[in-house]
Amino acid sequence: MNFENLLYEVSDGIATVTVNRPKALNALNAATLKELINCFAAIRDDEAVKVVILTGGGEKAFVAGADIAEMQSLDAVEASRFARLGHELAAAVEELPKPVIAAVNGYALGGGCELALCCDIRLAAENAQFGQPEVNLGVIPGFGGTQRLARLIGKGLASELIMTGDMIDAAEAHRIGLVNKVFPAADLMTAARKMAGKIASKGLVAVGFAKAALRDGLEMDLARACNLEADLFGLCFATADQKEGMQAFLEKRPAKFVGK
Ligand code: CO8
């Protein structure tokens, strides 16, 4: 796949998507959002891709937000349309039946923090900075930040970040549960690939079901969510991977999963 604002490569079942506008700190303009949406649609249909890593090009940024230069002159209708493009991308990432790991290699601000929030797992470089600085621009987060950040770290901490516009470093992001793990910058991609490789070696129908149960279940009351989990648990027993996984355990050998 060829893109103007993305780099894309697949190796050993792991797709790496790099937002690549380093001169603008990888800011998301409409063209980049559309490319990301198309890229995730292609990943969904590509059986060769088992796990996705999303990162930013250059040394400084994951994504420093939506493109302020492009947004500046939007009217209300256009701004709403732009935000909906962001939500379309969020849905493409969250509903992808494959895990997406954000490798946050620098600034993750505004729409960039929101993009990381759509991912299943966030790994960060020690130099990463997180924030929702929209209030500094006279706007609010428009790519799900008020909702996903509050769901992940709680309403109080999300309110503080969103209302002050303050940035936090990777250590603080780790402390409050915004990122899973922090690595020296030089080790981030190796660590992301290692985790992606570990997940890619599992029964991938089950991994996709786990993603769906976590995503959809958290929006339900506990009883319905546990029902959903029970249904998906049952569906696992219709897969070859369940038979192989349990057989391999009983035969004391590694499982050979086929993703079906
Ligand atoms: N949009 C456009 N250009 C940007 C952005 C951005 N978000 N961030 C940085 N750039 C550009 C700069 O303008 C500069 O360009 P140039 O070299 O042509 O002057 C270049 O990137 C390098 O940036 P700086 O010189 O500013 O680099 P510094 O190291 O001095 O500062 C910062 C780095 C602190 C990250 C600083 O660039 C900054 O504050 N950037 C803006 C961060 C921000 O406010 N982000 C939120 C944007 S609003 C938003 O995301 C709302 C999302 C809601 C809708 C989403 C729908 C998808």
Side-chain angles (χ1 to χ4, degrees), residues 34 74 87 97 101 122 138 193 196 243-244 260:
K34 285 177 192 163
L74 299 182
H87 292 306
I101 299 172
R122 282 155 293 283
R193 283 192 201 99
K243 294 183 181 31
E244 165 63 10
K260 287 187 178 159

Side-chain angles (χ1 to χ4, degrees), residues 23-25 27 33 60 64-69 71 82-83 86 107 109-111 114 133-134 137 142-143 167:
K23 284 187 184 149
L25 301 188
L33 287 169
K60 274 178 77 173
D67 190 317
I68 300 167
M71 276 190 303
F82 183 64
Y107 291 112
L109 302 174
E114 292 169 297
E134 285 88 347
L137 303 166
F143 184 8
M167 280 191 232

Side-chain angles (χ1 to χ4, degrees), residues 50-65:
K50 297 173 176 171
V51 181
V52 183
I53 297 171
L54 180 59
T55 192
E59 311 265 291
K60 274 178 77 173
F62 173 70
V63 167

